[in-house]
Amino acid sequence: MKKIISLLMLLGLATHLVHAQFVYDYLKAGNDYFVKADYASAAAYYEKYLGNDKHGATGGAEYDPYKPQLPNVKKDKAATSKEKAQWQLAESYRMLHYPSKAADAYKKLLEANTAQFPLAMFHLAEQLRALGKYEEASTAFTAFISVYANHDAYKTTAEREIRNLQFIQQELSKPGLQYFTVQPATDVLTSPGANYAPVWVDSTTLLFTSTRPQDSTAAAHHTNKLYQVQFANGNAAAITAPAIAQSKAFEQGVATVSANGTTMYFTRWNATGTRNAALYMASKQGGKWSDPVALPADINQPGFSAQQPFITRDGHYLLFSSNKPGGEGGYDIWYAPVDETGKTGTPVNAGSLINTADDEQAPFYYAASGTLVFASNGRVGMGGFDLFSTTGEIGHFAAPENMGYPVNSVKDDIYLTARGNSEDLLQEVWLSSDRAAACCLELFRISRKLPAPERPAPPVQEPVVVAAPVPDTAETKTLDNVYYAYDKAELLDGSEVSLNKLIDMLNQNQNMVIQISGHTDGKGSEAYNLRLSLARAQKCVDYIVSKGIDASRITAKGYGATMPVAPNTNADGSDNPEGRKLNRRTTFTILKR
């Protein structure tokens, strides 16, 4: 009997030692993958080590389509191995843009150890905001600020995030949202993994990047490659790979193609080891792309990353994002001149008006309205990366503005593209966002249609308001695409395009003085129309003055229906909707040059 008991004890000890060895192997594997920035694999092994993985899976986390960056891991000897593993598990899910998993992991860590991981509360607050738990996120950011002793970028960001939460509430309740349509991509444009960075090659061909699986091997799920799809009658056909070399040694994506379709610039990075990204160029010859060639070292500076290129429609500039020295911090927007052969010149940083100490990425320039769009995580917004826009020419831009909801969401929004020649950029755009996913970027189409506002019948017995004198119309022009909220003097999104052009004109002509005039159709009483037209003109003036134009150089006048440019009724007395539409307008008059 004693021999049997001894044998059982030995078997139990052996089993315990084998289990301990497995547990140690899980931890070692997790640490190895974490150092290599393979966060999906790291998370899987940390889950096993911590005893969280009951089914041998991590809930379907996919590889992050951004170029991985190693996080700032807190190493403290007082923390146990399990606490360190819990921290790196949470960090892995954060780097995978998987907020629900990351939030749970940070919460478990905070329950066990707060002192050794001071950034855990900060990152938990970020994940709560991404999950739409705004009150909890605000509480967490406030708690982090109250105990975090350092005055560094984390504290500054936490303070900005509290302002972000206020901005979110404002954006979700702003007027004009009913004019937007947000449609997630369907059918062939969806897949397991990420689908992101859309760019139009021509009016019917969309190029994009995806980590969609190529076969049944695990590694295929982690590979970024370029794909293209043809659109017919608004529907996407089968996905194909462009005829360009896509070596297994590299991952590549985020491309841009010249307007004539003969030159492609794109991002490449090593599939293993050091993953600094670089920009490459290929030329189209006989329907196929040439072997890719790396751009010069002043763009691809050794030891740093250059990524996310965009070639302007005229082919004169290549915009890109890089963390190379000479910028404002983090990733910055840069631009380089391009000659007729496609050769790039010396890159120039876009400067502090565009770039912040954090990251600015994914530049896109819409020539029809002279609008630069880029993503930033260093400004007040809705959270994560938000899309911002500014008007002007390369090297001469106005202050950027957040593009607001629903272009932006509480998660990451990046890589916007548009086609066509409409001055209204938001008539139709495609972008990448993880707003509807547990993790990873997906493609979305957002469009906006702004109907001409109609007014209800005005109240009776209005007081008499005297019309303003009629100005000299020799220098009067109509401002196209200036929109107002229904029956109100509130500017809607999109109106800034024409107003910003007027601001540029005033900045270029410092002695110029103008008058903004509001006009209505013939519906409603005279007093009602005069008041509404003046209020709308004044709203335009207020916007222009807010952009730095001296108030003494611009005045507002309301003319109601006193200056029609078309009849409000037909000859037989019936209503003339087209005529009334033309009469509802905003104009400007140059009073002094």
Side-chain angles (χ1 to χ4, degrees), residues 124-431:
L124 170 61
E126 286 183 313
Q127 309 314 306
L128 292 171
R129 183 255 299 139
L131 293 169
K133 299 178 179 180
Y134 307 130
E135 291 187 8
E136 291 183 49
S138 181
T139 300
F141 278 123
T142 302
F144 170 77
I145 292 170
S146 67
V147 300
Y148 191 66
N150 298 336
H151 293 278
D152 57 13
Y154 288 106
K155 178 164 280 191
T156 301
T157 300
E159 292 168 346
R160 184 178 67 242
E161 285 281 13
I162 292 176
R163 297 195 297 274
N164 287 352
L165 292 167
Q166 297 169 347
F167 180 74
I168 289 170
Q169 300 296 328
Q170 170 190 319
E171 284 298 300
L172 294 178
S173 61
K174 71 179 181 181
L177 295 179
Q178 70 271 25
Y179 301 130
F180 285 90
T181 301
V182 180
Q183 298 172 307
T186 58
D187 301 327
V188 296
L189 287 172
T190 64
S191 70
N195 297 280
Y196 66 105
V199 60
W200 289 104
V201 177
D202 52 46
S203 61
T204 60
T205 307
L206 187 72
L207 191 68
F208 67 100
T209 307
S210 179
T211 61
R212 59 185 57 213
Q214 297 299 296
D215 51 49
S216 59
T217 63
H221 290 262
H222 297 173
T223 303
N224 291 268
K225 289 183 177 294
L226 286 168
Y227 297 86
Q228 65 185 26
V229 60
Q230 293 288 331
F231 280 80
N233 300 319
N235 297 316
I239 297 291
T240 59
I244 188 169
Q246 303 203 61
S247 168
K248 291 184 178 180
F250 296 100
E251 299 197 53
Q252 64 188 33
V254 192
T256 182
V257 180
S258 61
N260 60 12
T262 61
T263 305
M264 179 191 294
Y265 301 88
F266 57 91
T267 313
R268 260 189 176 183
W269 61 97
N270 291 329
T272 59
T274 303
R275 298 193 175 198
N276 286 333
L279 296 182
Y280 284 73
M281 181 184 75
S283 300
K284 202 167 194 178
Q285 302 169 352
K288 293 185 178 180
W289 294 101
S290 64
D291 289 336
V293 177
L295 296 188
D298 56 358
I299 290 179
N300 292 323
Q301 187 162 338
F304 299 91
S305 286
Q307 58 190 27
Q308 303 161 341
F310 178 80
I311 185 73
T312 57
R313 188 170 181 178
D314 59 14
H316 293 166
Y317 290 97
L318 180 72
L319 290 85
F320 62 98
S321 178
S322 176
N323 62 350
K324 71 193 203 78
E328 300 298 321
Y331 280 85
D332 278 8
I333 303 299
W334 296 73
Y335 59 89
V338 181
D339 65 17
E340 293 79 5
T341 66
K343 182 180 179 181
T344 55
T346 303
V348 178
N349 187 276
S352 59
L353 192 64
I354 301 297
N355 295 312
T356 68
D358 293 289
D359 297 322
E360 279 67 46
Q361 298 190 8
F364 167 76
Y365 188 70
Y366 188 61
S369 61
T371 303
L372 172 67
V373 177
F374 61 93
S376 175
N377 61 7
R379 302 170 183 273
V380 173
M382 297 191 72
F385 277 98
D386 266 21
L387 289 161
F388 291 79
S389 66
T390 176
T391 55
E393 299 178 350
I394 305 298
H396 303 281
F397 289 109
E401 294 187 355
N402 192 293
M403 297 186 73
Y405 181 77
V407 174
N408 290 313
S409 69
V410 297
K411 293 189 180 180
D412 284 318
D413 304 281
I414 189 170
Y415 301 116
L416 180 144
T417 189
R419 56 181 169 172
N421 294 307
S422 171
E423 288 193 359
D424 182 9
L425 169 65
L426 295 181
Q427 191 173 72
E428 180 187 329
V429 298
W430 285 74
L431 56 81

Side-chain angles (χ1 to χ4, degrees), residues 422-541:
S422 171
E423 288 193 359
D424 182 9
L425 169 65
L426 295 181
Q427 191 173 72
E428 180 187 329
V429 298
W430 285 74
L431 56 81
S432 310
S433 177
D434 60 351
R435 66 184 66 188
C439 72
C440 307
L441 294 173
E442 298 176 334
L443 296 174
F444 286 82
R445 175 182 175 271
I446 299 179
S447 58
R448 180 177 66 179
K449 185 177 182 181
L450 294 172
E454 294 291 340
R455 294 189 296 274
V460 297
Q461 293 185 346
E462 295 286 351
V464 176
V465 178
V466 179
V470 177
D472 178 9
T473 58
E475 297 272 9
T476 298
K477 296 182 179 180
T478 297
L479 288 167
D480 295 325
N481 302 318
V482 174
Y483 305 103
Y484 304 92
Y486 178 67
D487 197 35
K488 295 179 181 178
E490 186 170 355
L491 287 168
L492 294 178
D493 288 346
S495 303
E496 67 275 1
V497 175
S498 287
L499 294 177
N500 286 342
K501 288 185 176 182
L502 197 54
I503 292 168
D504 291 340
M505 183 182 73
L506 289 167
N507 282 327
Q508 295 169 17
N509 300 272
Q510 292 296 321
N511 295 322
M512 182 176 287
V513 178
I514 66 169
Q515 173 183 294
I516 301 290
S517 304
H519 303 271
T520 68
D521 59 24
K523 282 197 171 183
S525 70
E526 180 182 5
Y528 172 86
N529 286 328
L530 287 170
R531 282 205 311 274
L532 182 62
S533 61
L534 175 59
R536 288 179 168 178
Q538 186 61 51
K539 186 62 69 171
C540 294
V541 170

